[in-house]
Structure formats: C-alpha cells, structure tokens
Amino acid sequence: MLSEDSETLKETLADLRITLKASAYKMDVRPLLKVVLEAFFGPSVGLVDMITEFVPSPLENAALKVSLPDLPVML
C-alpha cells in the first residue's frame, strides 16, 4: 500500500488534474495504477481502437518492407 506516499501522489495527480476517491489511495499498487492510467488516458478501448485503425497489419506492412531498398547502417 502507498499510505505513506499518498500525499505526494495526491499532489502529483493534482498537477495532472486527476482526482481520485479517498478509497483509491488505500488500494494496492496495481489496481491503483490501473485507476490512475484510466483517468489519464481514458478507457483502454480507445487505445485498442486507435491501434487497430492506424497501425498497419503485419501482412500489409511486410510487402512494403520487402519492396524498400536496404538503407546503410550508420554507427
């Protein structure tokens, strides 16, 4: 639990304009992180929708990669 760090967390979240219920600060780390990330990014459905819409499928992209010339590697 993050009870000793809850004030620091509240301040950080306030800077991000995220407010949580008092009970959320008593959660274990993983559930608390999920709540904070949902508040910051929104529901994960939007992220999945964005990925499926804008990231090309591996099959479509493979043809493009094969057709591109090899670029020199610069170290």
Coordinates of all heavy atoms in Angstrom, one line a residue:
M1 N 0.8 -1.2 0.0 CA 0.0 0.0 0.0 C 0.9 1.2 0.0 O 2.0 1.2 0.5 CB -0.9 0.0 1.2 CG -1.9 -1.2 1.1 SD -3.5 -0.9 2.0 CE -3.1 -0.3 3.5
L2 N 0.3 2.3 -0.5 CA 1.1 3.6 -0.6 C 0.6 4.6 0.4 O 0.7 5.8 0.2 CB 0.9 4.1 -2.0 CG 1.3 3.2 -3.2 CD1 0.9 3.8 -4.5 CD2 2.8 3.1 -3.1
S3 N 0.2 4.2 1.6 CA -0.4 5.1 2.5 C 0.6 6.2 2.9 O 0.3 7.4 3.1 CB -0.9 4.4 3.8 OG 0.2 3.6 4.4
E4 N 1.9 5.9 3.1 CA 2.9 6.9 3.4 C 3.2 7.8 2.3 O 3.7 8.9 2.5 CB 4.2 6.2 3.9 CG 4.9 5.4 2.9 CD 4.4 3.9 2.9 OE1 3.6 3.6 3.6 OE2 5.0 3.2 2.0
D5 N 2.9 7.4 1.1 CA 3.2 8.3 -0.1 C 1.9 8.9 -0.7 O 2.0 9.5 -1.7 CB 3.9 7.5 -1.2 CG 5.3 7.0 -0.8 OD1 5.9 7.8 0.0 OD2 5.7 6.0 -1.2
S6 N 0.8 8.8 0.0 CA -0.5 9.2 -0.6 C -0.5 10.8 -0.8 O -1.1 11.2 -1.7 CB -1.7 8.8 0.3 OG -1.6 9.3 1.6
E7 N 0.1 11.5 0.1 CA 0.2 13.0 -0.1 C 1.0 13.4 -1.3 O 0.5 14.2 -2.1 CB 0.7 13.7 1.2 CG -0.3 13.7 2.3 CD -1.6 14.4 2.0 OE1 -1.6 15.4 1.3 OE2 -2.7 13.8 2.3
T8 N 2.1 12.7 -1.5 CA 2.9 13.0 -2.7 C 2.1 12.6 -3.9 O 2.1 13.4 -4.9 CB 4.2 12.2 -2.6 OG1 4.9 12.6 -1.4 CG2 5.1 12.5 -3.8
L9 N 1.5 11.5 -3.9 CA 0.7 11.0 -5.0 C -0.5 12.0 -5.3 O -0.7 12.3 -6.5 CB 0.1 9.6 -4.8 CG -0.7 9.0 -5.9 CD1 0.1 8.9 -7.2 CD2 -1.3 7.6 -5.4
K10 N -1.2 12.5 -4.3 CA -2.2 13.4 -4.4 C -1.7 14.7 -5.1 O -2.4 15.2 -6.0 CB -2.9 13.8 -3.1 CG -3.8 12.7 -2.5 CD -4.4 13.1 -1.2 CE -5.2 11.9 -0.6 NZ -5.7 12.3 0.7
E11 N -0.6 15.2 -4.7 CA 0.0 16.4 -5.3 C 0.3 16.2 -6.8 O 0.1 17.0 -7.6 CB 1.2 16.8 -4.5 CG 1.0 17.3 -3.1 CD 2.2 17.6 -2.3 OE1 3.3 17.5 -2.9 OE2 2.1 17.8 -1.1
T12 N 0.9 15.0 -7.1 CA 1.3 14.7 -8.4 C 0.1 14.6 -9.3 O 0.0 15.2 -10.4 CB 2.1 13.4 -8.5 OG1 3.3 13.5 -7.7 CG2 2.5 13.1 -9.9
L13 N -0.9 13.9 -8.8 CA -2.2 13.8 -9.6 C -2.9 15.1 -9.7 O -3.5 15.3 -10.8 CB -3.1 12.7 -8.9 CG -2.5 11.3 -9.0 CD1 -3.5 10.3 -8.2 CD2 -2.3 10.8 -10.4
A14 N -2.8 15.9 -8.7 CA -3.4 17.3 -8.8 C -2.8 18.1 -9.9 O -3.5 18.8 -10.6 CB -3.4 18.0 -7.5
D15 N -1.5 17.9 -10.1 CA -0.8 18.6 -11.2 C -1.3 18.2 -12.5 O -1.3 18.9 -13.5 CB 0.7 18.4 -11.1 CG 1.4 19.1 -9.9 OD1 0.7 20.1 -9.4 OD2 2.5 18.8 -9.6
L16 N -1.7 16.9 -12.6 CA -2.3 16.3 -13.8 C -3.8 16.5 -13.9 O -4.4 16.0 -14.9 CB -1.9 14.8 -13.9 CG -0.4 14.5 -14.0 CD1 -0.2 13.0 -13.8 CD2 0.2 15.0 -15.3
R17 N -4.4 17.2 -13.0 CA -5.8 17.4 -12.9 C -6.6 16.1 -12.8 O -7.6 15.9 -13.4 CB -6.3 18.2 -14.1 CG -5.7 19.6 -14.0 CD -6.3 20.5 -15.1 NE -5.8 21.8 -15.0 CZ -5.4 22.6 -16.0 NH1 -5.6 22.1 -17.2 NH2 -4.9 23.8 -15.8
I18 N -6.0 15.2 -12.0 CA -6.7 13.9 -11.8 C -7.1 13.9 -10.3 O -6.3 14.1 -9.4 CB -5.8 12.7 -12.1 CG1 -5.5 12.7 -13.6 CG2 -6.4 11.4 -11.6 CD1 -4.4 11.6 -14.0
T19 N -8.4 13.6 -10.0 CA -8.8 13.4 -8.6 C -9.3 12.0 -8.5 O -10.0 11.5 -9.4 CB -9.9 14.4 -8.3 OG1 -11.0 14.3 -9.2 CG2 -9.4 15.9 -8.3
L20 N -9.0 11.4 -7.4 CA -9.5 10.1 -7.0 C -10.3 10.1 -5.7 O -10.1 11.0 -4.9 CB -8.3 9.1 -6.9 CG -7.3 9.0 -8.1 CD1 -6.2 8.1 -7.7 CD2 -8.0 8.4 -9.3
K21 N -11.1 9.1 -5.6 CA -11.8 8.9 -4.3 C -10.8 8.6 -3.2 O -9.7 8.0 -3.5 CB -12.8 7.8 -4.4 CG -13.9 8.1 -5.4 CD -14.9 6.9 -5.5 CE -16.0 7.2 -6.5 NZ -16.9 6.1 -6.7
A22 N -11.1 8.9 -2.0 CA -10.2 8.6 -0.9 C -9.9 7.1 -0.8 O -8.8 6.7 -0.4 CB -10.8 9.1 0.4
S23 N -10.9 6.3 -1.1 CA -10.7 4.8 -1.0 C -9.6 4.3 -2.1 O -9.0 3.3 -1.8 CB -12.0 4.1 -1.3 OG -12.5 4.4 -2.6
A24 N -9.4 5.0 -3.1 CA -8.5 4.6 -4.2 C -7.1 4.7 -3.6 O -6.2 3.9 -4.0 CB -8.6 5.5 -5.4
Y25 N -6.8 5.6 -2.7 CA -5.4 5.7 -2.2 C -5.1 4.6 -1.2 O -3.9 4.5 -0.9 CB -5.3 7.1 -1.5 CG -5.4 8.3 -2.4 CD1 -6.5 9.0 -2.6 CD2 -4.3 8.6 -3.2 CE1 -6.6 10.0 -3.5 CE2 -4.4 9.7 -4.1 CZ -5.5 10.4 -4.2 OH -5.6 11.4 -5.1
K26 N -6.1 3.8 -0.8 CA -5.8 2.7 0.1 C -5.6 1.4 -0.7 O -5.4 0.3 -0.1 CB -7.0 2.5 1.0 CG -7.1 3.7 1.9 CD -8.3 3.6 2.8 CE -8.4 4.9 3.6 NZ -9.7 4.9 4.4
M27 N -5.7 1.5 -2.1 CA -5.6 0.3 -2.9 C -4.2 -0.2 -3.0 O -3.2 0.6 -2.7 CB -6.1 0.6 -4.3 CG -7.5 0.9 -4.5 SD -7.8 1.4 -6.2 CE -9.2 0.5 -6.5
D28 N -4.0 -1.5 -3.4 CA -2.7 -2.0 -3.7 C -2.2 -1.3 -5.0 O -2.9 -0.6 -5.7 CB -2.7 -3.5 -3.9 CG -2.9 -4.3 -2.6 OD1 -2.4 -3.7 -1.6 OD2 -3.5 -5.3 -2.7
V29 N -0.9 -1.4 -5.3 CA -0.3 -0.7 -6.3 C -0.9 -1.0 -7.7 O -1.2 0.0 -8.4 CB 1.3 -1.0 -6.4 CG1 1.9 -0.3 -7.5 CG2 1.9 -0.5 -5.1
R30 N -1.0 -2.2 -8.1 CA -1.6 -2.5 -9.4 C -3.0 -2.0 -9.7 O -3.2 -1.3 -10.7 CB -1.5 -4.0 -9.7 CG -0.1 -4.5 -9.9 CD -0.1 -5.9 -10.2 NE 1.3 -6.4 -10.4 CZ 1.8 -6.9 -11.5 NH1 1.0 -7.1 -12.5 NH2 3.0 -7.3 -11.5
P31 N -3.9 -2.2 -8.8 CA -5.3 -1.6 -9.0 C -5.2 -0.1 -9.0 O -5.9 0.5 -9.8 CB -6.1 -2.2 -7.9 CG -5.4 -3.3 -7.3 CD -3.9 -3.1 -7.6
L32 N -4.4 0.5 -8.2 CA -4.3 1.9 -8.1 C -3.7 2.5 -9.4 O -4.2 3.4 -10.0 CB -3.4 2.4 -7.0 CG -3.2 3.9 -6.8 CD1 -4.5 4.6 -6.7 CD2 -2.3 4.1 -5.7
L33 N -2.7 1.8 -10.0 CA -2.1 2.2 -11.2 C -3.1 2.1 -12.3 O -3.2 3.0 -13.2 CB -0.9 1.3 -11.5 CG -0.1 1.7 -12.8 CD1 0.4 3.1 -12.8 CD2 1.0 0.7 -13.0
K34 N -3.9 1.1 -12.3 CA -5.0 0.9 -13.4 C -6.0 2.1 -13.3 O -6.3 2.7 -14.3 CB -5.7 -0.4 -13.2 CG -6.7 -0.6 -14.3 CD -7.4 -2.0 -14.1 CE -8.4 -2.1 -15.2 NZ -9.1 -3.4 -15.1
V35 N -6.4 2.5 -12.1 CA -7.3 3.6 -11.9 C -6.7 4.9 -12.4 O -7.3 5.7 -13.1 CB -7.8 3.7 -10.5 CG1 -8.5 5.0 -10.2 CG2 -8.6 2.5 -10.1
V36 N -5.4 5.1 -12.1 CA -4.8 6.4 -12.5 C -4.6 6.4 -14.0 O -4.9 7.4 -14.6 CB -3.4 6.5 -11.7 CG1 -2.6 7.6 -12.3 CG2 -3.6 6.7 -10.3
L37 N -4.2 5.3 -14.6 CA -4.0 5.3 -16.0 C -5.3 5.5 -16.8 O -5.3 6.1 -17.8 CB -3.3 4.0 -16.5 CG -1.8 3.9 -16.0 CD1 -1.3 2.5 -16.4 CD2 -1.0 5.0 -16.6
E38 N -6.4 4.9 -16.3 CA -7.7 5.1 -16.9 C -8.1 6.5 -16.8 O -8.7 7.1 -17.7 CB -8.7 4.2 -16.3 CG -8.6 2.7 -16.8 CD -9.7 1.8 -16.2 OE1 -10.5 2.3 -15.4 OE2 -9.7 0.7 -16.6
A39 N -7.8 7.2 -15.7 CA -8.2 8.6 -15.5 C -7.3 9.5 -16.4 O -7.8 10.4 -17.0 CB -7.9 9.0 -14.1
F40 N -6.1 9.1 -16.7 CA -5.2 9.9 -17.5 C -5.4 9.7 -19.0 O -5.6 10.6 -19.8 CB -3.7 9.6 -17.2 CG -2.8 10.5 -17.8 CD1 -2.6 11.8 -17.4 CD2 -2.0 10.1 -18.9 CE1 -1.7 12.7 -18.0 CE2 -1.1 10.9 -19.5 CZ -0.9 12.2 -19.0
F41 N -5.5 8.4 -19.4 CA -5.6 8.0 -20.8 C -7.0 7.8 -21.3 O -7.3 7.7 -22.5 CB -4.8 6.8 -21.2 CG -3.3 7.1 -21.1 CD1 -2.5 6.5 -20.1 CD2 -2.6 7.9 -22.0 CE1 -1.2 6.7 -20.0 CE2 -1.3 8.1 -21.9 CZ -0.5 7.5 -20.9
G42 N -7.9 7.6 -20.4 CA -9.3 7.2 -20.7 C -9.4 5.6 -20.8 O -8.4 5.0 -20.6
P43 N -10.5 5.1 -21.1 CA -10.7 3.7 -21.2 C -9.7 3.1 -22.2 O -9.4 3.7 -23.3 CB -12.1 3.4 -21.5 CG -12.7 4.7 -21.7 CD -11.7 5.8 -21.4
S44 N -9.3 1.9 -22.0 CA -8.3 1.2 -22.9 C -8.9 0.9 -24.2 O -8.2 0.6 -25.2 CB -7.7 0.0 -22.2 OG -8.8 -1.0 -22.0
V45 N -10.2 0.9 -24.3 CA -10.9 0.6 -25.6 C -10.4 1.6 -26.7 O -10.2 1.2 -27.8 CB -12.4 0.7 -25.4 CG1 -13.1 0.5 -26.7 CG2 -12.9 -0.4 -24.4
G46 N -10.3 2.9 -26.3 CA -9.9 3.9 -27.3 C -8.5 3.6 -27.8 O -8.2 3.8 -29.0
L47 N -7.6 3.2 -26.9 CA -6.2 2.8 -27.3 C -6.2 1.7 -28.3 O -5.6 1.7 -29.4 CB -5.3 2.5 -26.1 CG -3.9 2.1 -26.4 CD1 -3.2 3.2 -27.1 CD2 -3.2 1.6 -25.2
V48 N -7.0 0.6 -28.0 CA -7.1 -0.5 -28.9 C -7.7 -0.1 -30.2 O -7.2 -0.5 -31.3 CB -7.9 -1.7 -28.2 CG1 -8.2 -2.8 -29.2 CG2 -7.2 -2.2 -27.0
D49 N -8.7 0.7 -30.2 CA -9.3 1.2 -31.4 C -8.3 1.9 -32.3 O -8.3 1.8 -33.5 CB -10.6 2.1 -31.2 CG -11.7 1.3 -30.6 OD1 -11.8 0.1 -30.8 OD2 -12.7 1.9 -30.1
M50 N -7.5 2.8 -31.7 CA -6.6 3.6 -32.4 C -5.5 2.7 -33.0 O -5.1 2.9 -34.2 CB -5.9 4.6 -31.4 CG -4.9 5.5 -32.2 SD -4.0 6.6 -31.1 CE -3.0 5.5 -30.2
I51 N -5.0 1.7 -32.3 CA -4.0 0.8 -32.8 C -4.6 0.0 -34.0 O -3.9 -0.1 -35.0 CB -3.5 -0.2 -31.7 CG1 -2.7 0.6 -30.7 CG2 -2.7 -1.3 -32.3 CD1 -2.4 -0.2 -29.4
T52 N -5.8 -0.5 -33.9 CA -6.3 -1.3 -35.0 C -6.6 -0.4 -36.2 O -6.6 -0.9 -37.3 CB -7.6 -2.0 -34.6 OG1 -8.6 -1.1 -34.1 CG2 -7.3 -3.1 -33.5
E53 N -6.9 0.9 -36.0 CA -7.2 1.7 -37.1 C -5.9 2.3 -37.8 O -5.9 2.3 -39.0 CB -8.1 2.9 -36.7 CG -8.5 3.8 -37.8 CD -9.5 4.9 -37.4 OE1 -10.1 4.7 -36.3 OE2 -9.6 5.9 -38.1
F54 N -4.9 2.6 -37.0 CA -3.8 3.3 -37.6 C -2.5 2.5 -37.8 O -1.6 2.9 -38.5 CB -3.5 4.6 -36.8 CG -4.6 5.6 -36.9 CD1 -5.4 5.8 -35.8 CD2 -4.8 6.3 -38.0 CE1 -6.4 6.8 -35.8 CE2 -5.9 7.2 -38.1 CZ -6.6 7.5 -37.0
V55 N -2.4 1.4 -37.1 CA -1.2 0.6 -37.2 C -1.5 -0.5 -38.3 O -2.4 -1.3 -38.2 CB -0.8 -0.1 -35.9 CG1 0.4 -1.0 -36.1 CG2 -0.5 1.0 -34.9
P56 N -0.7 -0.5 -39.4 CA -1.0 -1.5 -40.4 C -0.7 -2.9 -39.9 O 0.1 -3.2 -39.1 CB 0.0 -1.1 -41.5 CG 1.1 -0.4 -40.8 CD 0.5 0.3 -39.6
S57 N -1.5 -3.8 -40.6 CA -1.3 -5.2 -40.2 C 0.1 -5.7 -40.6 O 0.6 -5.2 -41.6 CB -2.4 -6.1 -40.8 OG -2.1 -6.3 -42.2
P58 N 0.6 -6.7 -40.0 CA 1.9 -7.2 -40.4 C 1.9 -7.7 -41.8 O 2.9 -7.6 -42.5 CB 2.2 -8.4 -39.4 CG 1.3 -8.0 -38.2 CD 0.1 -7.3 -38.8
L59 N 0.8 -8.3 -42.3 CA 0.8 -8.8 -43.6 C 0.8 -7.7 -44.7 O 1.6 -7.7 -45.6 CB -0.5 -9.6 -43.9 CG -0.6 -11.0 -43.1 CD1 -1.9 -11.6 -43.3 CD2 0.5 -11.9 -43.6
E60 N 0.1 -6.6 -44.4 CA 0.1 -5.4 -45.3 C 1.5 -4.8 -45.3 O 2.0 -4.4 -46.3 CB -0.9 -4.4 -44.9 CG -2.4 -4.9 -45.1 CD -3.4 -3.9 -44.5 OE1 -2.9 -2.9 -44.0 OE2 -4.6 -4.2 -44.5
N61 N 2.1 -4.7 -44.1 CA 3.3 -3.9 -44.0 C 4.5 -4.8 -44.5 O 5.5 -4.2 -44.9 CB 3.5 -3.5 -42.5 CG 4.4 -2.3 -42.4 OD1 4.5 -1.5 -43.3 ND2 5.1 -2.2 -41.3
A62 N 4.4 -6.1 -44.5 CA 5.5 -6.9 -44.9 C 5.9 -6.7 -46.4 O 7.0 -6.6 -46.8 CB 5.2 -8.4 -44.7
A63 N 4.8 -6.5 -47.2 CA 5.1 -6.2 -48.6 C 5.8 -4.9 -48.8 O 6.7 -4.8 -49.7 CB 3.8 -6.2 -49.4
L64 N 5.5 -3.9 -48.0 CA 6.2 -2.6 -48.1 C 7.6 -2.8 -47.7 O 8.5 -2.2 -48.3 CB 5.4 -1.6 -47.2 CG 6.1 -0.2 -47.1 CD1 6.1 0.5 -48.5 CD2 5.4 0.6 -46.1
K65 N 7.9 -3.5 -46.6 CA 9.2 -3.6 -46.1 C 10.1 -4.4 -47.1 O 11.3 -4.0 -47.3 CB 9.3 -4.4 -44.8 CG 8.8 -3.5 -43.6 CD 8.9 -4.3 -42.4 CE 8.5 -3.5 -41.2 NZ 8.6 -4.2 -39.9
V66 N 9.6 -5.4 -47.8 CA 10.3 -6.1 -48.8 C 10.6 -5.3 -50.0 O 11.7 -5.4 -50.6 CB 9.5 -7.4 -49.2 CG1 10.2 -8.1 -50.4 CG2 9.4 -8.3 -48.0
S67 N 9.7 -4.4 -50.4 CA 9.9 -3.6 -51.6 C 10.9 -2.4 -51.3 O 11.4 -1.8 -52.3 CB 8.6 -3.0 -52.1 OG 8.1 -2.1 -51.2
L68 N 11.2 -2.0 -50.1 CA 12.1 -0.9 -49.8 C 13.5 -1.3 -50.0 O 13.9 -2.4 -49.6 CB 11.8 -0.4 -48.4 CG 10.5 0.3 -48.1 CD1 10.4 0.7 -46.6 CD2 10.4 1.6 -49.0
P69 N 14.4 -0.4 -50.5 CA 15.8 -0.8 -50.6 C 16.4 -0.8 -49.2 O 16.0 -0.1 -48.3 CB 16.4 0.3 -51.5 CG 15.5 1.5 -51.3 CD 14.1 0.9 -51.0
D70 N 17.5 -1.6 -49.1 CA 18.2 -1.6 -47.8 C 18.9 -0.3 -47.6 O 19.6 0.2 -48.5 CB 19.2 -2.7 -47.8 CG 18.6 -4.1 -47.7 OD1 17.4 -4.2 -47.2 OD2 19.2 -5.1 -48.1
L71 N 18.8 0.3 -46.4 CA 19.4 1.5 -46.1 C 20.7 1.2 -45.4 O 20.8 0.3 -44.6 CB 18.5 2.4 -45.2 CG 17.2 2.8 -45.9 CD1 16.4 3.6 -44.9 CD2 17.4 3.7 -47.1
P72 N 21.8 2.0 -45.6 CA 23.0 1.8 -44.9 C 22.9 2.0 -43.4 O 22.1 2.9 -43.0 CB 24.0 2.8 -45.5 CG 23.1 3.8 -46.2 CD 21.8 3.1 -46.5
V73 N 23.6 1.2 -42.7 CA 23.5 1.4 -41.2 C 24.6 2.4 -40.8 O 25.8 2.2 -41.2 CB 23.7 0.0 -40.5 CG1 23.8 0.2 -39.0 CG2 22.7 -1.0 -40.9
M74 N 24.2 3.4 -40.1 CA 25.2 4.4 -39.6 C 25.4 4.2 -38.1 O 24.5 4.2 -37.3 CB 24.7 5.8 -39.9 CG 24.4 6.0 -41.4 SD 23.9 7.7 -41.7 CE 25.4 8.4 -42.0
L75 N 26.7 4.0 -37.8 CA 27.0 3.8 -36.3 C 27.6 5.0 -35.8 O 28.3 5.8 -36.3 CB 28.0 2.6 -36.2 CG 27.4 1.3 -36.7 CD1 28.5 0.2 -36.6 CD2 26.2 0.9 -35.8

